[in-house]
Amino acid sequence: MEKAIEVLSKLQIKITEPRKVITSIMINTKQHLTIEDILKQAKESLPQIGIATVYRVLKILEDEKVIEKHIFNDDYIIYENTYAKDHHYHIIDIEKNNVIEFCNSDLEELIKKLVSDKGYELISHNIKIYAKGEKNDK
């Protein structure tokens, strides 16, 4: 919980119990969490917490770039810890709603080159790859 307090203080966000609990959940996870996952974990510490409070805190954390909200397939929403995390990409298994993260320095360089070759400066990018089928170890 100390790390959550440190993050909230650094961002100059008023520290409340729901904010501490939800921030702690989000900055300590390596998983992509649904709102239901977050609410369930938050209720372990704050049984009275409601879903509206969770949404409000998530919005604050999203605005401060502590987390990122992803919408896949137009209706599957997950939240990801992006606090002090390197840039990466996602492969979304559309059959299992599973998200796999990966990094690729060659892809990073290619994107930078493509943008530069068109006369632009890269500000940001986001690539989502949708896939289905079994993972193949070939």
Side-chain angles (χ1 to χ4, degrees):
M1 202 67 74
E2 287 180 31
K3 188 175 175 185
I5 293 169
E6 181 183 316
V7 169
L8 292 169
S9 296
K10 182 179 176 182
L11 297 171
Q12 298 179 342
I13 296 170
K14 183 179 176 183
I15 298 171
T16 64
E17 277 306 303
R19 290 175 184 173
K20 282 193 306 190
V21 168
I22 294 167
T23 301
S24 181
I25 290 166
M26 293 310 302
I27 65 174
N28 290 306
T29 188
K30 294 182 180 185
Q31 303 296 316
H32 296 83
L33 302 175
T34 64
I35 189 72
E36 292 82 10
D37 297 329
I38 300 163
L39 180 62
K40 181 179 176 185
Q41 288 184 43
K43 281 187 174 286
E44 291 173 11
S45 298
L46 293 172
Q48 73 281 11
I49 196 167
I51 197 161
T53 300
V54 174
Y55 274 116
R56 280 193 300 273
V57 175
L58 290 174
K59 178 67 175 138
I60 292 168
L61 296 177
E62 184 182 0
D63 289 347
E64 294 294 333
K65 310 290 189 230
V66 173
I67 65 169
E68 190 171 336
K69 177 181 178 180
H70 298 284
I71 304 172
F72 300 124
N73 292 339
D74 296 328
D75 64 349
Y76 182 63
I77 300 171
I78 57 169
Y79 295 87
E80 173 184 16
N81 169 17
T82 54
Y83 189 73
K85 196 172 181 184
D86 291 334
H87 187 84
H88 60 277
Y89 303 100
H90 296 102
I91 297 173
I92 301 95
D93 180 331
I94 61 172
E95 294 174 328
K96 298 177 185 169
N97 279 339
N98 189 25
V99 180
I100 300 104
E101 291 183 356
F102 71 97
C103 297
N104 186 302
S105 58
D106 292 337
L107 183 55
E108 286 286 324
E109 291 305 313
L110 177 60
I111 290 167
K112 288 176 186 173
K113 182 176 180 347
L114 289 169
V115 171
S116 177
D117 288 353
K118 296 292 182 185
Y120 289 92
E121 176 187 356
L122 181 64
I123 303 300
S124 177
H125 64 284
N126 185 359
I127 296 176
K128 298 173 190 171
I129 301 169
Y130 294 90
K132 66 179 185 174
E134 293 296 315
K135 181 177 176 184
N136 192 343
D137 291 330
K138 290 183 183 177

